[in-house]
Amino acid sequence: METFIHAYSWIDIRFLLQGLWVTIYVSLISIALSFVIGIILGFIRYVNIKYVSAIVGFIIDIIRNLPLLLIIFFTYFGLPELGLVTNPTVASIIALVVFEGAMVAEIVRSGIGAVDPGQMEGARSNGMTYMQAMTHVVLPQALHKMVPSLLSQFVSLVKDTSLATIIVLPELLYHAQIIYGQNSTYLIPMYIIIAVMYFIVCFSLSMFANHLQKTGW
Amino acid sequence: MAKILVDNWPQFIHGFWNTVWCSLIALFFSLLLGVIFALMEVAPSKLASAIAHIYIEIFRNIPLLVITMIFYLVVPRSGIKMSGFAAGTIGLALYSSAFIAETVRAGINSVGKGQMEGARSNGMTYNQAMRYVILPQALKIVIPPLGNQFVNLIKNSSVLAFVAGFDLMYEADTIAFSSLETINTYIIVGVFYLILTLPLSYYMRYLEKRLA
C-alpha cells in the first residue's frame, strides 16, 4: 500500500499527465489530418476516375493490411533516408495519419456507397452539378451513417499512439516506463494508473460515439 | 533485398510461423470468449449482461500494448511465470475477444425479434432457441465483420515484438539492427504480413458483397 502512495506522488502524477497530454495532442492532430485525407481518398476511390481510383484503392488496401507498428518503423527509419529530418513526434503523426487515413478512406467509401443512389439522381435532376449534389446532398447523409465507425476508428487511434513508445515518443506509456525504470517497485502502480487514464480518455470518446449514434447530430 | 531474404530465411520463416500460431491460438480463444460474452450481454439476466458489458468496455478501451505489458511484466510478479509469446497471445486474445463480442452481439440483435418469439412459442426454452435458432443465423451474418476482426488480430499480433515473442516483427527488428538494412528488411516483412492479411480481407469483401 505504501508503494502506491509513494508511486502516486504529485511529481510522478504530473509527469504522467505530461505524457497523457502528448498522447492527446498527437491523437488530435492525427485525427484531424486523417479525417481530411480519408475523406479525399475515400471520395477518389468511390467516384471511379480511370486508373487513379484503382491505384489509390490498391495503395489503401496495402496500408490497411499492414501492422501499424511496421508503418511507424517505416516512417521513423525511412524518412531520414529520403533526406527529411524528423523527430519522434512528427514521425508518429505521419505514421498514424497514413494508417488511419487509409482506414477512414475505406469507411468513407462504404458510407457514400450506403447512400441511396436516388438521392444523387434527385439532386442532379433538380439542376445541381455533380459536385454540388455530392457536397450538399450525398456527403452529409454519408457522414451521418459513418459517425459510429469513424468514432470507433478514432478510439483505436488514441490507443494506437501507445505503439509510438518504440520510437521514444514521450507519451503516457513511455513516461510510465521511465518512472518504473527508476524504481521497479512502482511497476504495478504505474500500469494500473495508465490503464485507468487510457480507459477514461477512450471510454469518454466511446460514450460520445454512442450518444451521437442515439441522438443524431 | 534478395540477399537479406536469402541470408535470413530461417529467421523470417520462424517469425512467420510464430505469427501464424499466435494468431490462430488467439483467434480460437477470442472467438470462444467473444461468443460467451456476447451471449451474456444479450441474456435476460441483468447481472450477466452487466458483467459482460464491463468486461467488453474494459478491454476495448485500454491499448493492446498496455494489456500485453501487464501480462508480461505485472502478472509474473504474482508468481505466474510465462514467456513473451504466451503473454502476448493472452493479451491479444483478451483484447480481440471484446471486439468479437461486440460484433457477435450486433449480429444477434440483427436477427429478427420474431425468430426468438416464434421459437419460444413452439415450446423451446430460451437456451434452445438461442442455440438452435438465433445463434446460427447471427453467426452467418457476422462472418464478414469477424473476418475483418481476424485481419486486425493478425496485424495486432505485431505487439509480440515488444515482449520478445519471436514473431515476424520481432525477427524483423533483430535482422534490421544486425544487417543495418532497415528499410529493405521492413519491406520484406511487410510482404510476409500481406501474404496473411490481403487474401483474407479481399475474401471478406467478396463475401460482404455476396451477402448484401
Side-chain angles (χ1 to χ4, degrees):
Chain A
M1 200 59 225
E2 197 137 309
T3 333
F4 277 79
I5 296 164
H6 287 298
Y8 297 153
S9 66
W10 172 236
I11 294 175
D12 289 347
I13 295 291
R14 197 178 57 189
F15 192 60
L16 287 178
L17 287 175
Q18 283 166 357
L20 184 64
W21 169 238
V22 172
T23 295
I24 289 174
Y25 88 68
V26 165
S27 304
L28 285 179
I29 296 173
S30 309
I31 286 174
L33 292 176
S34 61
F35 183 59
V36 174
I37 290 175
I39 286 194
I40 295 170
L41 291 181
F43 183 67
I44 291 176
R45 199 172 185 187
Y46 175 77
V47 292
N48 254 331
I49 309 165
K50 215 176 183 182
Y51 306 123
V52 178
S53 295
I55 295 168
V56 168
F58 183 67
I59 295 171
I60 290 174
D61 282 341
I62 296 286
I63 294 172
R64 274 165 35 99
N65 284 292
L66 286 174
L68 174 59
L69 192 54
L70 193 66
I71 295 170
I72 292 177
F73 278 129
F74 263 126
T75 45
Y76 190 60
F77 294 112
L79 288 180
E81 288 200 10
L82 294 174
L84 295 166
V85 183
T86 174
N87 61 41
T89 314
V90 175
S92 321
I93 291 175
I94 293 174
L96 285 167
V97 169
V98 167
F99 182 75
E100 307 289 344
M103 296 302 230
V104 171
E106 186 59 23
I107 295 172
V108 170
R109 186 189 66 90
S110 59
I112 300 176
V115 175
D116 186 348
Q119 295 288 328
M120 175 55 98
E121 288 158 14
R124 291 301 298 277
S125 63
N126 273 309
M128 284 187 179
T129 64
Y130 182 83
M131 283 314 282
Q132 281 174 332
M134 196 42 115
T135 49
H136 295 291
V137 179
V138 178
L139 267 183
Q141 295 181 58
L143 273 177
H144 188 80
K145 286 183 201 287
M146 288 180 247
V147 165
S149 354
L150 275 179
L151 279 161
S152 64
Q153 193 58 47
F154 293 147
V155 173
S156 291
L157 191 151
V158 176
K159 291 185 293 176
D160 287 343
T161 55
S162 63
L163 293 175
T165 32
I166 200 133
I167 58 168
V168 294
L169 177 72
E171 45 72 69
L172 185 53
L173 179 58
Y174 186 71
H175 274 201
Q177 286 173 336
I178 290 179
I179 295 174
Y180 73 72
Q182 288 168 347
N183 184 341
S184 66
T185 53
Y186 289 178
L187 182 92
I188 297 173
M190 280 305 127
Y191 273 103
I192 291 175
I193 194 163
I194 64 170
V196 170
M197 283 178 171
Y198 275 117
F199 182 82
I200 291 171
V201 173
C202 296
F203 188 66
S204 16
L205 202 52
S206 308
M207 285 286 95
F208 183 57
N210 287 347
H211 174 74
L212 282 183
Q213 204 175 353
K214 271 182 201 139
T215 58
W217 56 306
Chain B
M1 199 188 290
K3 193 174 176 301
I4 304 171
L5 183 63
V6 175
D7 287 354
N8 301 291
W9 181 255
Q11 258 179 293
F12 277 119
I13 290 300
H14 181 238
F16 183 76
W17 284 118
N18 270 338
T19 293
V20 171
W21 266 121
C22 157
S23 306
L24 287 178
I25 298 169
L27 176 72
F28 175 78
F29 285 104
S30 58
L31 267 179
L32 193 70
L33 287 172
V35 171
I36 292 172
F37 281 105
L39 287 176
M40 281 171 70
E41 213 184 3
V42 295
S45 153
K46 282 236 165 62
L47 179 69
S49 87
I51 293 172
H53 198 69
I54 292 169
Y55 173 89
I56 292 170
E57 291 301 345
I58 285 179
F59 283 104
R60 253 161 50 111
N61 289 304
I62 294 175
L64 170 60
L65 183 54
V66 173
I67 298 172
T68 308
M69 291 303 249
I70 288 174
F71 278 97
Y72 187 58
L73 296 173
V74 177
V75 173
R77 289 276 170 110
S78 63
I80 306 161
K81 292 271 170 275
M82 62 175 98
S83 66
F85 184 84
T89 311
I90 294 172
L92 189 59
L94 293 178
Y95 179 79
S96 309
S97 70
F99 289 88
I100 290 178
E102 275 301 280
T103 313
V104 174
R105 186 189 58 87
I108 293 174
N109 285 343
S110 73
V111 175
K113 245 190 168 157
Q115 295 288 329
M116 177 54 101
E117 287 160 8
R120 293 302 298 275
S121 63
N122 273 307
M124 285 187 178
T125 64
Y126 176 86
N127 287 337
Q128 282 173 331
M130 198 40 121
R131 162 97 178 67
Y132 297 107
V133 180
I134 308 291
L135 210 51
Q137 296 182 59
L139 287 180
K140 202 173 155 194
I141 299 171
V142 297
I143 285 174
L146 274 185
N148 292 332
Q149 290 299 344
F150 187 38
V151 173
N152 283 338
L153 190 153
I154 296 172
K155 293 191 294 173
N156 285 336
S157 72
S158 59
V159 292
L160 259 74
F162 281 90
V163 293
F166 296 99
D167 71 322
L168 205 41
M169 200 70 209
Y170 182 82
E171 300 292 358
D173 292 345
T174 348
I175 297 166
F177 292 120
S178 63
S179 69
L180 298 175
E181 292 267 7
T182 325
I183 296 301
N184 288 336
T185 312
Y186 286 126
I187 290 174
I188 294 171
V189 165
V191 173
F192 273 111
Y193 272 109
L194 289 177
I195 290 172
L196 290 173
T197 53
L198 211 51
L200 194 59
S201 62
Y202 276 131
Y203 181 60
M204 289 309 147
R205 193 178 292 165
Y206 162 78
L207 277 186
E208 240 165 66
K209 266 192 193 140
R210 220 186 51 178
L211 284 176

